[in-house]
């Protein structure tokens, strides 16, 4: 591998992105770039930053496969040109000003216990409806990174007890948790995050945009920053190595949902006002 593509950089990433059917990919990428630039101007040297969005596609969604086909044909979507990397799990998107965002494949699975699990850096499909421990093992066996993301009401009651047991057990060497910007600012930080961090397990934030037309502006606004030697030819594989490294420090960034926006979005999701 050409060593020139492997350089130590600030890596700014959103760990939980959906490309919903109501989104236009070029608009999402434009918004992501704006959001990433806001962070990089205050936290890093812009010229030494690389931007990544991790897709977390749900059952029946195959947006990454479609984008990969476009990339293999060097397809242009308005001001963005898609191109393949040297791996099947990532795509580079470059705009007319030569600004780049890497798109990394991933899935979102719903377990038998109705817990969500993300499989980052994987283009494999995973079955819904299996026990959470089986789901995590399946993700690890297929070289993905399993993340249990926060969601409204998802970590309460019986499901909270299951997560507590998982975090207290020695079943897995590491379980990643996921924060997201949809968590309202007036709610306290879940105690599970502190428990995970005490064990040396990473919390990877992401936006988790809702299937509302206005949510295409969210990706890139909430995520994490790491430093590492990123192979630009294989960013997915390289990011996995960085995240699995126990010495890697994860710096979260971004703001939580305002009370007004949280209530508005929850109302829109429940009553079909998807705009």
């Amino acid at each position: 591998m050409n060593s020139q593509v492997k350089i130590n950089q600030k890596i700014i990433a959103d760990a939980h992105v959906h490309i919903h059917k109501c989104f236009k990919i070029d608009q999402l990428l434009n918004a992501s770039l704006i959001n990433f630039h806001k962070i990089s101007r205050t936290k890093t040297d812009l010229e030494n930053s690389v931007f990544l969005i991790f897709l977390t596609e749900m059952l029946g969604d195959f947006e990454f496969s479609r984008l990969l086909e476009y990339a293999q044909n060097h397809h242009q979507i308005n001001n963005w040109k898609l191109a393949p990397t040297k791996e099947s799990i990532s795509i580079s998107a470059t705009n007319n000003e030569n600004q780049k965002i890497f798109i990394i494949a991933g899935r979102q699975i719903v377990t038998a216990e109705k817990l969500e699990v993300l499989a980052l850096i994987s283009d494999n499909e995973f079955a819904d409806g299996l026990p959470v421990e089986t789901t995590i093992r399946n993700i690890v066996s297929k070289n993905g990174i399993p993340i249990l993301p926060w969601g409204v009401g998802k970590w309460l009651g019986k499901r909270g007890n299951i997560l507590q047991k998982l975090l207290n057990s020695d079943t897995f060497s590491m379980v990643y948790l996921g924060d997201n910007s949809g968590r309202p600012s007036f709610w306290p930080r879940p105690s599970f995050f502190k428990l995970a961090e005490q064990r040396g397990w990473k919390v990877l934030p992401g936006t988790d945009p809702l299937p509302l037309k206005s949510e295409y502006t969210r990706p890139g606004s909430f995520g994490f920053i790491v430093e590492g030697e990123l192979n630009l030819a294989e960013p997915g594989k390289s990011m996995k190595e960085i995240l699995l490294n126990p010495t890697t420090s994860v710096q979260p960034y971004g703001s939580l949902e305002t009370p007004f926006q949280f209530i508005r979005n929850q109302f829109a999701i429940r009553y079909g006002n998807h705009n």
Side-chain angles (χ1 to χ4, degrees):
M1 186 62 65
N2 186 346
S3 60
Q4 290 183 344
V5 300
K6 204 169 185 181
I7 54 178
N8 196 67
Q9 290 182 301
K10 292 276 188 179
I11 302 161
I12 306 176
D14 183 335
H16 194 159
V17 176
H18 300 289
I19 302 178
H20 295 294
K21 291 179 174 60
C22 56
F23 294 172
K24 293 182 178 179
I25 184 62
D26 60 313
Q27 292 180 350
L28 182 147
L29 289 170
N30 288 336
S32 299
L33 189 65
I34 290 170
N35 290 328
F36 283 136
H37 278 197
K38 288 178 182 177
I39 302 305
S40 59
R41 284 178 184 143
T42 58
K43 301 264 184 203
T44 68
D45 178 3
L46 183 58
E47 294 181 357
N48 191 40
S49 299
V50 62
F51 310 128
L52 294 91
I53 57 176
F54 290 90
L55 295 190
T56 51
E57 298 193 84
M58 294 177 281
L59 183 67
D61 290 341
F62 300 100
E63 192 66 24
F64 181 82
S65 296
R66 184 174 74 90
L67 295 178
L68 181 59
E69 184 177 343
Y70 283 170
Q72 289 166 343
N73 294 311
H74 296 275
H75 188 74
Q76 186 99 10
I77 303 178
N78 289 332
N79 61 319
W80 290 91
K81 186 174 183 178
L82 304 181
T85 62
K86 291 189 176 181
E87 60 185 5
S88 64
I89 54 175
S90 65
I91 299 166
S92 71
T94 307
N95 69 5
N96 294 340
E97 297 178 9
N98 204 35
Q99 298 168 314
K100 190 185 299 289
I101 295 175
F102 288 103
I103 304 170
I104 314 294
R107 307 297 300 182
Q108 177 171 299
I109 307 104
V110 180
T111 72
E113 303 89 348
K114 303 302 180 185
L115 282 165
E116 288 182 2
V117 184
L118 309 180
L120 291 198
I121 318 177
S122 176
D123 57 358
N124 290 286
E125 289 186 62
F126 300 91
D128 282 349
L130 297 176
V132 62
E133 291 190 8
T134 302
T135 299
I136 292 172
R137 288 192 185 95
N138 288 344
I139 294 169
V140 173
S141 71
K142 294 184 177 180
N143 298 314
I145 290 184
I147 296 181
L148 291 156
W150 178 91
V152 179
K154 298 289 176 65
W155 288 359
L156 302 175
K158 290 182 179 180
R159 289 180 290 185
N161 292 336
I162 292 168
L163 180 57
Q164 181 83 38
K165 182 180 178 182
L166 191 65
L167 289 172
N168 284 328
S169 75
D170 295 320
T171 306
F172 302 102
S173 59
M174 179 177 289
V175 175
Y176 296 77
L177 298 188
D179 198 1
N180 79 64
S181 59
R183 183 165 64 86
S185 58
F186 56 85
W187 282 0
R189 189 172 189 255
S191 60
F192 296 117
F193 289 150
K194 184 177 181 180
L195 178 59
E197 289 163 346
Q198 286 174 342
R199 296 200 59 177
W201 296 357
K202 296 179 176 66
V203 177
L204 300 181
T207 50
D208 190 17
L210 298 170
L212 306 171
K213 289 181 181 179
S214 60
E215 290 277 289
Y216 79 87
T217 62
R218 190 181 290 275
S221 64
F222 192 87
F224 66 94
I225 301 170
V226 293
E227 290 191 36
E229 197 174 64
L230 190 74
N231 185 335
L232 301 183
E234 296 179 322
K237 178 182 177 182
S238 190
M239 273 302 293
K240 182 182 177 184
E241 293 172 355
I242 291 169
L243 292 175
L244 290 177
N245 186 336
T247 67
T248 297
S249 175
V250 175
Q251 177 188 351
Y253 74 81
S255 301
L256 296 172
E257 196 76 273
T258 65
F260 172 77
Q261 190 65 39
F262 173 76
I263 294 169
R264 177 182 170 182
N265 282 348
Q266 292 303 310
F267 184 87
I269 285 292
R270 283 161 174 73
Y271 297 100
N273 183 21
H274 293 196
N275 53 47

